[in-house]
Amino acid sequence: MAETKTHRVTVAQRPLLLSWAGATDLGRRREINQDAFLAEYPLFIVADGMGGHAGGEIASSSTVARLQAVVAAGEVNGPAIEKALELAVADIADHPETTDEGTGTTLTGVFLVGDGEDAHWVALNIGDSRVYLLRDDRLVQVTTDHSVVQELIAAGKLSPEEAEGHPYSNVITRAVGASELTAPDYVTVDVRAGDRFVICSDGLTKELTDYGIQHFLRANSDPAAGVDAMLAAALENGGRDNVTLIIVQIEDDSDSSSPPEDTSE
């Protein structure tokens, strides 16, 4: 069962409550969970590892460990994240169980930077894990997949519907791994009360459509309940891969008569 945590921030003199929850599951067909996630204010990320034997698990866990150190240091920003990823690439390359050249991990998520008037979200992405945003009851994909099929879609050679069953649907074009690091793509998102992010590996999006994700967000106002519901649905729909997701939401905290305890520490 997922657990909801909270943290208070003030943006443009407006008190806001951030709440979040995350979970990961082996799924129904895999022997090893190669996914990992980090959900600690102000950084929320998912990593989907790949590689023979334990390689994918090592890649994702090494990346998360390096990013956790960034959070602990209290300086979460693009340069600090990229330095951590460079260290993770070295960790992966040096690990005795990651001899497979295909070893690596996706990385996607959001982090909050600045304060007051200057506060904003930054979404980052390497690979085909995704960040979605539900705003004004409309779900949009914030990140762009780094994958062969996404390149074909962008070139007009493949429709999104055709991409779902394409034989190269699992082939990604960028990863954090035992090779030279390519910096993440970044997208800036303003901070707005009512927004809800879903950060997930493709183990979720293989089993739930965008409409399904939106449905479970609408049906569950608490992040932990939403995470548990989506995870259960993904497993029920087949659970063909490891499934990992985080829900982060932002609420107006000015009218709260008895606000919940801050649990982010």
Side-chain angles (χ1 to χ4, degrees), residues 108-264:
T108 199
V110 297
F111 58 97
L112 187 67
V113 295
D115 53 29
E117 297 284 351
D118 297 326
H120 59 276
W121 293 103
V122 177
L124 70 153
N125 187 56
I126 297 176
D128 65 350
S129 297
R130 295 176 177 176
V131 174
Y132 289 93
L133 170 63
L134 183 71
R135 173 176 286 181
D136 298 329
D137 206 35
R138 179 172 176 261
L139 189 75
V140 295
Q141 184 179 330
V142 177
T143 54
T144 301
D145 296 352
H146 298 134
S147 65
V148 170
V149 294
Q150 181 59 44
E151 291 183 355
L152 292 172
I153 291 170
K157 297 179 179 179
L158 202 65
S159 71
E161 293 74 23
E162 291 170 331
E164 292 181 8
H166 197 278
Y168 292 161
S169 60
N170 291 331
V171 180
I172 64 174
T173 55
R174 286 166 62 179
V176 181
S179 61
E180 185 176 346
L181 177 70
T182 302
D185 286 344
Y186 297 104
V187 178
T188 300
V189 180
D190 61 310
V191 179
R192 189 178 300 185
D195 281 356
R196 305 178 78 187
F197 290 102
V198 175
I199 305 153
C200 60
S201 65
D202 68 347
L204 182 75
T205 53
K206 284 175 182 176
E207 311 298 356
L208 284 183
T209 63
D210 290 6
Y211 177 81
I213 291 172
Q214 182 169 293
H215 163 77
F216 286 109
L217 285 174
R218 286 172 173 170
N220 297 275
S221 59
D222 176 68
V227 166
D228 288 341
M230 287 192 213
L231 184 57
L235 296 176
E236 184 177 342
N237 289 345
R240 292 169 287 176
D241 200 350
N242 309 143
V243 185
T244 304
L245 74 147
I246 303 168
I247 295 176
V248 183
Q249 63 189 43
I250 310 97
E251 300 169 275
D252 189 335
D253 199 36
S254 58
D255 298 328
S256 177
S257 57
S258 57
E261 179 182 357
D262 190 317
T263 58
S264 64

Side-chain angles (χ1 to χ4, degrees), residues 40-43 65-77 80-81 84:
E40 294 183 13
Y41 178 84
L43 179 62
R66 287 295 186 178
L67 290 171
Q68 194 154 26
V70 171
V71 174
E75 192 66 28
V76 179
N77 53 45
I81 287 172

Side-chain angles (χ1 to χ4, degrees), residues 58-125:
I58 292 163
S60 60
S61 62
S62 297
T63 299
V64 165
R66 287 295 186 178
L67 290 171
Q68 194 154 26
V70 171
V71 174
E75 192 66 28
V76 179
N77 53 45
I81 287 172
E82 289 178 29
K83 178 60 179 178
L85 295 182
E86 289 175 1
L87 294 172
V89 168
D91 293 341
I92 296 164
D94 292 342
H95 198 284
E97 293 187 69
T98 55
T99 56
D100 182 356
E101 291 184 358
T103 297
T105 183
T106 70
L107 178 71
T108 199
V110 297
F111 58 97
L112 187 67
V113 295
D115 53 29
E117 297 284 351
D118 297 326
H120 59 276
W121 293 103
V122 177
L124 70 153
N125 187 56

